Amino acid sequence: MSDSSRDTAEGAGWGTAERGEYQRLMPSRVEKISWLNPKTLWAARNGVLASWFGDPTGRTRSRWVAQRAAAGAPADKVVRRDDPDEFSFMVIGDTGEGDDPQYAVVPGFLKTGQDTRFAVIASDVIYPVGSADDYGTKFFRPYQDYPAPIYAIPGNHDWYEDLGAFMRVFCDDAPPLAPEPAPRPLTRAWLRSLLWHRPRPHDGGRLDQERELRGSPAQRAVQPGPYWAVDAGPVRIIGIDTGLLGTLDAEQGAWLREVSQGPRPKVLITGSPLYVDGEHHPCPIEGGGTVDDIVRDPDHHYVAAIGGDIHNYQRYPVRVGDRTLQYVVSGGGGAFMHATHTIPRVSVGGVTEKDFRCYPLRGDSLAFYSRLYGRRLRLRRFFTLTEAEATAVIAERLGISPTRAPGGATKVTARTRLVAALLGAGGRPDRTSRFRLPVRKIYTQLFSPSSATYSPPFFKCFLRLDVTPEAIRLRCHAATGNRAQEIEPPVEDEVTIPLV
């Protein structure tokens, strides 16, 4: 087994490593998304509009579900497969930026997933706004050689064009929804409709041609809607659609309560993680209750909840009664990297720093960002931290031992402390100050989304889950863009989840 980032700096992808061969898979022209580009931000405005003028996704989702039911989709929205009691499947989240980081994941994903029965994309299939025209280079092309079906749940970016392209690709080429009646003038809904982003005319004109890249019957997966359940072997996998604002409408909430009944072990896939960045986000349901209430109910027999949306890997083993639920963030499948060095020392839901796992390691995340902003600001000598310096200053700020032992003694200087503070590095809860909290918030919300980079290491990841009647073995594999990790994708985290 190859070294992981927990073993060596080379295992993390640092050093003069040979770049992988993923670029051979890429199109000759690659769109490079910048989340600081006003044009991109304007196209992706619907999330802001929904928060200001009311969120219409619940009503739109209900219309999509009704249309699929009228077309013959099962009323309970359950896909019943014929998988054996022992099988494997893949989970990969937040994939579709269509650039180097997405394609760098593909060789390892194909190698690790070659004998798996299916895959699930956990949120944000396509960036920036889920357009049908983007599916060729951001879905069909990268995964053309994955031989099994791919199911998906939409993320907020897939909703920026009212989910039309997602429904066409994953839900049996669902036709467009009929237009709704125009809202009354001068209402919030009227203002929202004036500014709402909609698909371009003739969007998806090449979609039929692009489907041929994954045209084998064995690759075809037809979903009953944007949320669904899959009965596979001894487990039920439930995918929920958290829309633009990370919530569930009442209709979907009632369905989730219904399909969660029974003794069959269950895994939740969600676009909004329930535990993330050292915080608990239980995901409210319209009309009352939360998704996490349903997950924690012992009568529902959930064993794990896996969420996308945040572009890294995190795991929180939360003790609930006499069992442990694994809450996982898995959004490192291709989009820009959300920092982990901004995560404070973990103490949430009974989970401490000792139990918490993340990828990239916080020190690697800080070193990555220091190089990125040193280059962009033309202040390399000041900003750039070595991975050893970054690891040491993170250990000091959080009051923990370094996750990966440095090669030698590394002195933490005033400069490294200042750079760590400027880049929003987390700290101990008992040392939070009025200064540090705003810096971290500003950094994670403004600067982190501009982290696109086109040279390794990328610190991407995906999951493989091996299921037996007794347990699920969950492994997080890394993809750095370097040849060593491409040939043998290292395991960054592994946990066995009992089912009985």
Side-chain angles (χ1 to χ4, degrees):
M1 182 180 294
S2 62
D3 284 348
S4 73
S5 69
R6 292 179 171 268
D7 300 316
T8 64
E10 291 75 19
W14 297 117
T16 55
E18 177 188 0
R19 183 177 287 215
E21 298 182 1
Y22 66 87
Q23 289 181 315
R24 297 182 182 181
L25 306 172
M26 298 174 65
S28 55
R29 262 187 90 184
V30 175
E31 175 192 16
K32 297 186 177 182
I33 297 174
S34 169
W35 292 102
L36 295 183
N37 184 329
K39 183 178 179 181
T40 303
L41 293 175
W42 177 243
R45 64 189 178 270
N46 286 0
V48 175
L49 295 176
S51 66
W52 287 352
F53 301 116
D55 184 4
T57 55
R59 185 174 64 252
T60 305
R61 183 188 297 114
S62 182
R63 295 173 66 214
W64 280 122
V65 168
Q67 178 178 286
R68 290 290 293 132
D76 59 4
K77 302 171 188 63
V78 178
V79 178
R80 293 173 173 86
R81 296 177 49 87
D82 60 354
D83 301 300
D85 283 347
E86 296 188 9
F87 75 98
S88 303
F89 69 100
M90 306 292 285
V91 175
I92 184 170
D94 299 273
T95 53
E97 284 200 357
D99 52 12
D100 291 62
Q102 178 178 10
Y103 279 86
V105 178
V106 174
F109 177 83
L110 295 178
K111 182 170 184 177
T112 305
Q114 60 188 342
D115 61 340
T116 54
R117 302 280 295 193
F118 59 89
V120 178
I121 296 180
S123 178
D124 288 337
V125 182
I126 300 295
Y127 294 94
V129 293
S131 298
D133 281 341
D134 287 334
Y135 268 86
T137 57
K138 300 178 183 181
F139 176 72
F140 291 111
R141 184 182 183 117
Y143 311 119
Q144 62 183 310
D145 293 327
Y146 180 68
I150 298 177
Y151 302 97
I153 57 168
N156 58 313
H157 288 267
D158 300 303
W159 267 103
Y160 286 158
E161 291 190 349
D162 290 337
L163 211 63
F166 180 96
M167 296 297 294
R168 288 181 66 182
V169 171
F170 293 103
C171 298
D172 205 21
D173 207 15
L177 289 174
E180 283 195 292
R184 287 182 299 140
L186 304 180
T187 62
R188 294 171 71 208
W190 178 77
L191 289 170
R192 184 183 64 219
S193 69
L194 289 180
L195 299 171
W196 200 251
H197 171 81
R198 293 177 175 84
R200 298 183 299 271
H202 313 297
D203 182 47
R206 302 185 304 273
L207 199 54
D208 288 341
Q209 178 183 346
E210 290 161 346
R211 287 182 202 271
E212 294 304 312
L213 293 170
R214 284 185 50 83
S216 165
Q219 295 175 306
R220 185 168 170 75
V222 176
Q223 299 177 191
Y227 57 92
W228 42 260
V230 171
D231 283 348
V235 300
R236 171 169 282 186
I237 302 154
I238 298 174
I240 59 172
D241 170 17
T242 54
L244 281 172
L245 301 182
T247 61
L248 258 63
D249 60 283
E251 179 181 332
Q252 185 180 181
W255 168 86
L256 178 61
R257 292 184 177 95
E258 182 64 29
V259 296
S260 297
Q261 301 292 327
R264 192 172 193 151
K266 298 172 185 72
V267 175
L268 182 74
I269 309 289
T270 170
S272 298
L274 304 181
Y275 279 85
V276 60
D277 293 346
E279 299 174 348
H280 183 209
H281 297 271
C283 187
I285 299 173
E286 181 186 18
T290 69
V291 169
D292 203 27
D293 292 338
I294 297 172
V295 170
R296 288 169 177 259
D297 189 329
D299 291 336
H300 295 159
H301 299 276
Y302 278 91
V303 298
I306 303 171
D309 188 53
I310 302 302
H311 307 164
N312 52 46
Y313 172 83
Q314 302 173 44
R315 180 169 64 83
Y316 301 81
V318 177
R319 192 74 179 168
V320 179
D322 60 353
R323 62 204 173 107
T324 298
L325 292 175
Q326 299 292 340
Y327 290 88
V328 176
V329 178
S330 183
F336 68 85
M337 186 190 88
H338 276 127
T340 59
H341 67 264
T342 58
I343 303 172
R345 181 168 172 168
V346 170
S347 179
V348 60
V351 179
T352 65
E353 191 66 33
K354 176 176 173 290
D355 309 309
F356 171 69
R357 295 290 182 273
C358 70
Y359 176 80
L361 300 178
R362 291 181 177 99
D364 289 331
S365 171
L366 179 58
F368 173 96
Y369 273 93
S370 74
R371 295 180 185 208
L372 179 71
Y373 282 97
R375 184 170 63 249
R376 288 188 174 180
L377 298 175
R378 301 182 185 276
L379 294 170
R380 296 191 190 199
R381 292 187 62 183
F382 170 73
F383 257 100
T384 302
L385 303 180
T386 67
E387 56 85 18
E389 289 173 327
T391 297
V393 74
I394 287 291
E396 179 186 85
R397 287 176 71 90
L398 270 64
I400 59 175
S401 300
T403 307
R404 180 178 66 236
T410 303
K411 184 179 180 181
V412 179
T413 65
R415 180 185 71 89
T416 58
R417 291 189 183 102
L418 178 58
V419 170
L422 290 173
L423 294 180
R428 287 189 272 182
D430 59 341
R431 292 190 179 180
T432 299
S433 71
R434 292 183 180 180
F435 171 72
R436 286 177 183 168
L437 194 58
V439 167
R440 177 174 171 256
K441 189 172 182 180
I442 291 169
Y443 180 81
T444 54
Q445 292 186 357
L446 178 60
F447 293 111
S448 184
S450 67
S451 64
T453 185
Y454 300 98
S455 59
F458 297 124
F459 297 110
K460 301 289 96 186
C461 60
F462 55 88
L463 305 183
R464 176 181 168 122
L465 291 88
D466 301 307
V467 180
T468 71
E470 293 78 32
I472 297 175
R473 181 174 66 164
L474 181 152
R475 285 176 289 175
C476 171
H477 290 270
T480 66
N482 287 327
R483 181 71 172 148
Q485 289 81 38
E486 193 174 88
I487 293 172
E488 190 173 351
V491 176
E492 291 292 336
D493 186 36
E494 179 173 345
V495 63
T496 298
I497 307 169
L499 298 183
V500 293

